[in-house]
Amino acid sequence: DGSQIRLHMLNYGGREIEGLRIRVRGAYANGDAQIAGAGRVPLADFAVADGFTEFSVPRLATYAVVDLKAVK
């Protein structure tokens, strides 16, 4: 129904990534990430502008999920 999105992020690189920046089309409310090995982690540097939502995932080892709800 377009009220939310779920992002699945996989890291195939074999090394942990720190500060991964993500940009998605649409306006979404701030949320948090579920990161394998770290649990629930807040998103950093969250911004909504010009029809896009941007944020940073503080770290990504192997897998993470981010759920965002659409701003109406």
Side-chain angles (χ1 to χ4, degrees):
D1 65 0
S3 66
Q4 62 185 3
I5 61 170
R6 173 171 279 173
L7 304 173
H8 296 268
M9 293 176 278
L10 295 170
N11 179 7
Y12 293 104
R15 291 183 286 161
E16 186 173 296
I17 298 169
E18 292 197 28
L20 179 64
R21 190 75 177 158
I22 306 293
R23 183 177 187 187
V24 295
R25 178 177 283 167
Y28 297 93
N30 196 348
D32 49 17
Q34 291 284 347
I35 301 174
R40 189 175 298 262
V41 177
L43 301 175
D45 303 323
F46 195 89
V48 178
D50 300 324
F52 291 90
T53 299
E54 291 188 36
F55 56 89
S56 294
V57 175
R59 61 178 256 200
L60 176 61
T62 305
Y63 178 73
V65 175
V66 176
D67 288 315
L68 299 172
K69 294 192 184 235
V71 175
K72 295 186 181 193

XYZ file of all heavy atoms in Angstrom:
543
model
N 0.814 -1.206 0.000
C 0.000 0.000 0.000
C 0.856 1.268 0.000
O 0.334 2.364 0.080
C -0.968 -0.018 1.163
C -0.308 0.026 2.537
O 0.928 0.079 2.618
O -1.046 0.012 3.519
N 2.159 1.132 -0.019
C 3.049 2.288 -0.067
C 3.255 2.991 1.260
O 3.841 4.067 1.299
N 2.777 2.407 2.361
C 2.909 3.076 3.650
C 4.250 2.814 4.333
O 4.574 3.468 5.312
C 1.772 2.665 4.587
O 1.875 1.301 4.917
N 5.020 1.859 3.808
C 6.319 1.561 4.406
C 7.195 0.832 3.396
O 6.707 0.302 2.405
C 6.174 0.730 5.666
C 5.551 -0.621 5.446
C 5.328 -1.346 6.753
O 5.592 -0.832 7.827
N 4.842 -2.558 6.679
N 8.506 0.830 3.676
C 9.433 0.049 2.862
C 10.352 -0.744 3.793
O 10.549 -0.374 4.946
C 10.279 0.922 1.914
C 11.141 1.912 2.689
C 9.424 1.617 0.890
C 12.166 2.625 1.830
N 10.891 -1.817 3.264
C 11.871 -2.625 3.995
C 13.083 -2.791 3.083
O 12.962 -3.263 1.960
C 11.305 -3.982 4.366
C 12.368 -4.904 4.972
C 11.775 -6.150 5.529
N 11.245 -5.812 6.860
C 10.538 -6.622 7.601
N 10.244 -7.826 7.159
N 10.111 -6.248 8.783
N 14.246 -2.413 3.605
C 15.497 -2.561 2.879
C 16.286 -3.711 3.478
O 16.498 -3.757 4.687
C 16.337 -1.285 2.990
C 15.694 0.009 2.537
C 16.596 1.183 2.887
C 15.445 -0.031 1.048
N 16.719 -4.619 2.629
C 17.601 -5.706 3.046
C 18.979 -5.383 2.488
O 19.129 -5.191 1.286
C 17.129 -7.045 2.479
C 15.804 -7.476 2.992
N 15.674 -8.281 4.097
C 14.546 -7.213 2.561
C 14.392 -8.505 4.321
N 13.690 -7.874 3.405
N 19.985 -5.337 3.343
C 21.343 -5.015 2.907
C 22.262 -6.189 3.190
O 22.306 -6.690 4.317
C 21.837 -3.762 3.626
C 21.060 -2.532 3.220
S 21.550 -1.087 4.148
C 20.581 -1.363 5.622
N 22.969 -6.623 2.168
C 23.921 -7.725 2.286
C 25.318 -7.215 1.977
O 25.517 -6.479 1.021
C 23.580 -8.841 1.292
C 22.259 -9.556 1.509
C 21.952 -10.446 0.321
C 22.316 -10.371 2.773
N 26.276 -7.637 2.765
C 27.664 -7.267 2.544
C 28.412 -8.518 2.094
O 28.647 -9.425 2.873
C 28.278 -6.715 3.835
C 29.729 -6.347 3.676
O 30.275 -6.381 2.580
N 30.363 -5.997 4.774
N 28.797 -8.542 0.817
C 29.532 -9.676 0.268
C 31.039 -9.468 0.350
O 31.807 -10.317 -0.059
C 29.147 -9.900 -1.200
C 27.733 -10.350 -1.393
C 26.764 -9.480 -1.854
C 27.369 -11.667 -1.129
C 25.460 -9.904 -2.044
C 26.071 -12.094 -1.311
C 25.113 -11.208 -1.780
O 23.837 -11.629 -1.964
N 31.479 -8.323 0.862
C 32.889 -7.958 0.840
C 33.786 -8.686 1.821
O 34.999 -8.669 1.668
N 33.234 -9.285 2.861
C 34.061 -9.995 3.820
C 34.628 -9.119 4.925
O 35.194 -9.619 5.877
N 34.513 -7.794 4.805
C 34.969 -6.866 5.848
C 33.784 -6.046 6.326
O 32.888 -5.731 5.556
C 36.017 -5.896 5.299
C 37.329 -6.546 4.970
C 38.329 -5.509 4.516
N 37.948 -5.088 3.162
C 38.341 -3.979 2.586
N 39.116 -3.133 3.227
N 37.973 -3.686 1.369
N 33.816 -5.668 7.593
C 32.762 -4.815 8.135
C 32.851 -3.420 7.529
O 33.939 -2.867 7.368
C 32.893 -4.733 9.657
C 31.754 -3.985 10.296
C 31.820 -4.067 11.808
O 31.701 -5.183 12.329
O 31.994 -3.012 12.433
N 31.699 -2.862 7.187
C 31.614 -1.514 6.624
C 31.176 -0.573 7.730
O 30.236 -0.870 8.465
C 30.589 -1.462 5.475
C 31.014 -2.389 4.341
C 30.411 -0.036 4.974
C 29.948 -2.591 3.298
N 31.815 0.565 7.852
C 31.414 1.575 8.824
C 30.914 2.797 8.079
O 31.572 3.304 7.178
C 32.587 1.942 9.729
C 32.969 0.793 10.628
C 33.824 1.235 11.776
O 33.720 2.392 12.199
O 34.596 0.395 12.242
N 29.710 3.268 8.431
C 29.155 4.489 7.856
C 28.649 4.344 6.430
O 28.977 5.153 5.578
N 27.817 3.358 6.161
C 27.238 3.155 4.831
C 26.099 4.146 4.617
O 25.133 4.179 5.379
C 26.723 1.724 4.701
C 26.059 1.361 3.384
C 27.075 1.444 2.247
C 25.464 -0.030 3.468
N 26.192 4.984 3.574
C 25.172 6.000 3.274
C 24.157 5.417 2.300
O 24.516 4.818 1.284
C 25.844 7.231 2.661
C 24.939 8.419 2.521
C 24.718 9.060 3.857
N 23.894 10.254 3.722
C 23.204 10.776 4.686
N 23.244 10.236 5.890
N 22.490 11.844 4.520
N 22.865 5.614 2.608
C 21.762 5.096 1.803
C 20.870 6.263 1.382
O 20.601 7.160 2.180
C 20.906 4.085 2.614
C 21.761 2.968 3.198
C 19.754 3.548 1.790
C 22.358 2.041 2.187
N 20.383 6.227 0.132
C 19.437 7.229 -0.365
C 18.308 6.499 -1.083
O 18.549 5.694 -1.977
C 20.125 8.182 -1.331
C 19.213 9.276 -1.818
C 19.944 10.244 -2.701
N 19.059 11.361 -3.003
C 19.344 12.305 -3.850
N 20.497 12.307 -4.490
N 18.492 13.272 -4.069
N 17.063 6.785 -0.667
C 15.882 6.171 -1.282
C 14.911 7.266 -1.712
O 14.845 8.333 -1.104
C 15.182 5.172 -0.330
C 16.070 3.980 -0.038
C 14.745 5.834 0.951
N 14.173 6.988 -2.769
C 13.180 7.944 -3.255
C 11.956 7.900 -2.349
O 11.487 6.835 -1.972
C 12.764 7.600 -4.677
C 11.692 8.557 -5.210
C 11.344 8.260 -6.622
N 12.437 8.799 -7.422
C 12.623 8.521 -8.690
N 11.830 7.687 -9.319
N 13.629 9.064 -9.348
N 11.455 9.079 -1.965
C 10.277 9.183 -1.124
C 10.607 9.797 0.225
O 11.771 9.917 0.600
N 9.563 10.192 0.946
C 9.722 10.793 2.274
C 9.331 9.764 3.327
O 8.205 9.272 3.333
C 8.854 12.035 2.400
N 10.274 9.451 4.208
C 10.063 8.449 5.243
C 10.487 8.986 6.602
O 11.365 9.837 6.698
C 10.843 7.164 4.924
C 10.372 6.516 3.658
C 10.982 6.791 2.442
C 9.283 5.661 3.658
C 10.532 6.221 1.266
C 8.818 5.093 2.492
C 9.445 5.368 1.298
O 8.990 4.812 0.143
N 9.850 8.467 7.656
C 10.186 8.863 9.022
C 11.442 8.127 9.478
O 11.732 7.023 9.021
C 9.024 8.540 9.961
N 12.167 8.742 10.398
C 13.384 8.140 10.932
C 13.058 6.840 11.647
O 12.019 6.702 12.279
C 14.073 9.117 11.891
C 15.509 8.754 12.181
O 15.965 7.667 11.854
N 16.228 9.659 12.787
N 13.964 5.884 11.536
C 13.769 4.589 12.176
C 15.083 4.068 12.704
O 15.960 4.836 13.079
N 15.214 2.758 12.703
C 16.465 2.149 13.116
C 16.724 0.923 12.260
O 15.880 0.494 11.486
C 16.463 1.806 14.604
C 15.228 1.057 15.038
O 14.529 0.519 14.174
O 14.976 1.004 16.238
N 17.922 0.381 12.397
C 18.322 -0.793 11.627
C 18.465 -1.987 12.555
O 18.876 -1.835 13.706
C 19.651 -0.524 10.922
N 18.131 -3.155 12.065
C 18.402 -4.414 12.759
C 19.642 -4.988 12.084
O 19.593 -5.391 10.921
C 17.230 -5.383 12.606
C 16.000 -4.972 13.332
C 16.116 -5.227 14.831
O 17.001 -5.917 15.297
N 15.211 -4.660 15.579
N 20.761 -4.973 12.788
C 22.032 -5.387 12.214
C 22.468 -6.705 12.834
O 22.518 -6.823 14.063
C 23.105 -4.300 12.434
C 22.653 -2.999 11.777
C 24.457 -4.752 11.907
C 23.562 -1.817 12.053
N 22.788 -7.669 11.979
C 23.249 -8.970 12.465
C 24.504 -8.782 13.308
O 25.450 -8.127 12.884
C 23.542 -9.895 11.286
N 24.474 -9.298 14.522
C 25.605 -9.203 15.428
C 25.606 -7.968 16.309
O 26.377 -7.875 17.251
N 24.753 -6.969 15.998
C 24.718 -5.731 16.784
C 23.332 -5.434 17.343
O 23.192 -4.613 18.234
C 25.192 -4.550 15.946
N 22.287 -6.050 16.781
C 20.918 -5.786 17.234
C 20.356 -4.513 16.638
O 20.743 -4.094 15.550
N 19.469 -3.873 17.381
C 18.794 -2.648 16.929
C 19.731 -1.454 17.116
O 20.204 -1.199 18.208
C 17.512 -2.429 17.711
C 16.641 -1.321 17.194
C 15.337 -1.248 17.964
N 14.578 -2.474 17.818
C 13.575 -2.641 16.957
N 13.202 -1.650 16.189
N 12.949 -3.796 16.881
N 19.962 -0.722 16.008
C 20.884 0.413 16.013
C 20.187 1.603 15.359
O 19.596 1.461 14.286
C 22.176 0.064 15.222
C 23.106 1.242 15.149
C 22.861 -1.135 15.843
N 20.238 2.794 15.967
C 19.601 3.968 15.344
C 20.324 4.389 14.071
O 21.544 4.229 13.944
C 19.700 5.051 16.419
C 20.753 4.598 17.357
C 20.842 3.106 17.254
N 19.552 4.923 13.123
C 20.124 5.450 11.892
C 20.782 6.794 12.187
O 20.313 7.551 13.026
C 19.039 5.619 10.836
C 18.280 4.348 10.462
C 17.148 4.680 9.496
C 19.211 3.306 9.888
N 21.846 7.098 11.490
C 22.589 8.350 11.712
C 22.376 9.308 10.536
O 22.063 8.875 9.425
C 24.070 8.044 11.879
N 22.567 10.592 10.799
C 22.523 11.643 9.767
C 21.277 11.547 8.891
O 21.356 11.622 7.666
C 23.770 11.584 8.886
C 25.046 11.717 9.684
O 25.043 12.493 10.656
O 26.026 11.045 9.350
N 20.113 11.398 9.502
C 18.851 11.226 8.782
C 18.396 12.552 8.197
O 18.399 13.576 8.877
C 17.785 10.690 9.747
C 16.573 10.153 9.063
C 16.525 8.835 8.679
C 15.488 10.966 8.800
C 15.403 8.326 8.040
C 14.365 10.463 8.158
C 14.320 9.144 7.784
N 18.011 12.550 6.916
C 17.550 13.776 6.262
C 16.520 13.433 5.192
O 16.631 12.419 4.503
C 18.718 14.516 5.626
N 15.509 14.299 5.058
C 14.506 14.184 4.006
C 14.497 15.504 3.248
O 14.279 16.557 3.839
C 13.098 13.901 4.586
C 12.070 13.827 3.474
C 13.101 12.632 5.409
N 14.765 15.445 1.929
C 14.798 16.662 1.113
C 14.646 16.313 -0.357
O 15.113 15.262 -0.812
C 16.106 17.419 1.336
N 13.996 17.199 -1.094
C 13.866 17.081 -2.547
C 13.317 15.738 -3.007
O 13.739 15.197 -4.029
C 15.211 17.344 -3.228
C 15.754 18.729 -2.930
O 14.930 19.664 -2.828
O 16.978 18.872 -2.785
N 12.391 15.171 -2.243
C 11.757 13.921 -2.636
C 12.562 12.666 -2.324
O 12.225 11.580 -2.794
N 13.621 12.794 -1.540
C 14.448 11.652 -1.180
C 14.672 11.611 0.329
O 14.636 12.633 0.991
C 15.814 11.720 -1.873
C 15.736 11.518 -3.352
C 15.570 12.600 -4.195
C 15.817 10.252 -3.906
C 15.488 12.422 -5.566
C 15.735 10.068 -5.267
C 15.575 11.158 -6.099
N 14.943 10.424 0.833
C 15.316 10.219 2.229
C 16.733 9.658 2.244
O 17.027 8.712 1.513
C 14.354 9.232 2.918
O 13.029 9.784 2.870
C 14.745 8.988 4.360
N 17.597 10.249 3.067
C 18.980 9.789 3.182
C 19.303 9.503 4.645
O 18.822 10.202 5.534
C 19.955 10.845 2.672
C 19.903 11.065 1.198
C 21.025 11.972 0.726
O 22.143 11.886 1.278
O 20.779 12.761 -0.187
N 20.135 8.508 4.864
C 20.587 8.178 6.208
C 21.837 7.326 6.108
O 22.181 6.809 5.041
C 19.498 7.436 6.994
C 18.993 6.189 6.324
C 19.613 4.963 6.546
C 17.909 6.237 5.467
C 19.151 3.814 5.934
C 17.438 5.093 4.840
C 18.064 3.876 5.079
N 22.515 7.186 7.236
C 23.688 6.332 7.311
C 23.417 5.186 8.268
O 22.813 5.376 9.324
C 24.906 7.116 7.814
O 25.280 8.087 6.873
N 23.869 4.010 7.884
C 23.853 2.852 8.765
C 25.245 2.821 9.396
O 26.243 2.755 8.678
C 23.573 1.556 7.980
C 23.666 0.341 8.874
C 22.205 1.635 7.317
N 25.330 2.939 10.728
C 26.638 3.071 11.386
C 27.626 1.964 11.055
O 28.813 2.208 10.935
C 26.309 3.081 12.866
C 24.888 3.511 12.943
C 24.239 3.006 11.687
N 27.142 0.744 10.907
C 28.029 -0.362 10.548
C 27.228 -1.470 9.900
O 26.029 -1.617 10.141
C 28.805 -0.873 11.743
C 27.949 -1.405 12.862
C 28.764 -1.941 13.981
N 28.723 -3.393 13.887
C 29.005 -4.193 14.883
N 29.406 -3.717 16.014
N 28.917 -5.487 14.754
N 27.904 -2.244 9.074
C 27.267 -3.378 8.414
C 28.283 -4.504 8.323
O 29.299 -4.375 7.639
C 26.780 -2.991 7.011
C 26.176 -4.098 6.154
C 24.940 -4.683 6.816
C 25.836 -3.569 4.773
N 28.032 -5.583 9.069
C 28.934 -6.733 9.029
C 28.542 -7.622 7.847
O 29.180 -7.601 6.809
C 28.886 -7.490 10.340
N 27.457 -8.369 7.990
C 27.012 -9.268 6.931
C 25.628 -8.902 6.402
O 25.416 -8.858 5.198
C 26.955 -10.718 7.454
O 28.229 -11.053 7.991
C 26.614 -11.694 6.351
N 24.699 -8.592 7.318
C 23.302 -8.400 6.919
C 22.628 -7.389 7.834
O 22.905 -7.349 9.035
C 22.563 -9.745 7.015
C 21.105 -9.688 6.689
C 20.674 -9.521 5.381
C 20.154 -9.806 7.685
C 19.319 -9.478 5.081
C 18.801 -9.774 7.401
C 18.392 -9.606 6.089
O 17.055 -9.557 5.801
N 21.748 -6.585 7.255
C 20.955 -5.641 8.047
C 19.613 -5.418 7.362
O 19.493 -5.567 6.133
C 21.681 -4.308 8.206
N 18.621 -5.059 8.160
C 17.284 -4.723 7.661
C 16.897 -3.365 8.216
O 17.093 -3.094 9.405
C 16.235 -5.767 8.123
C 14.836 -5.358 7.708
C 16.559 -7.128 7.566
N 16.346 -2.508 7.348
C 15.851 -1.202 7.770
C 14.391 -1.102 7.343
O 14.071 -1.299 6.169
C 16.660 -0.051 7.125
C 16.064 1.292 7.516
C 18.120 -0.130 7.537
N 13.503 -0.817 8.300
C 12.085 -0.576 8.017
C 11.811 0.907 8.189
O 12.160 1.489 9.224
C 11.190 -1.374 8.983
C 11.196 -2.861 8.688
O 11.079 -3.217 7.509
O 11.310 -3.647 9.636
N 11.191 1.520 7.167
C 10.842 2.945 7.219
C 9.373 3.119 6.897
O 8.853 2.476 5.981
C 11.674 3.730 6.198
C 13.193 3.708 6.381
C 13.857 4.351 5.182
C 13.586 4.405 7.665
N 8.697 3.985 7.646
C 7.289 4.301 7.392
C 7.193 5.598 6.605
O 7.894 6.556 6.879
C 6.532 4.428 8.712
C 6.464 3.117 9.434
C 5.486 3.156 10.570
C 5.577 1.827 11.279
N 4.337 1.172 11.389
N 6.311 5.607 5.620
C 6.106 6.776 4.774
C 5.531 7.938 5.574
O 4.702 7.738 6.461
C 5.202 6.443 3.607
N 5.987 9.140 5.247
C 5.462 10.364 5.849
C 4.299 10.814 4.979
O 4.426 10.899 3.769
C 6.537 11.455 5.912
C 5.955 12.763 6.420
C 7.692 11.013 6.776
N 3.150 11.085 5.603
C 1.965 11.486 4.831
C 1.714 12.951 4.923
O 2.058 13.631 5.792
C 0.753 10.705 5.299
C 0.945 9.242 5.004
C -0.288 8.462 5.333
C -0.006 7.000 5.027
N -1.099 6.162 4.995
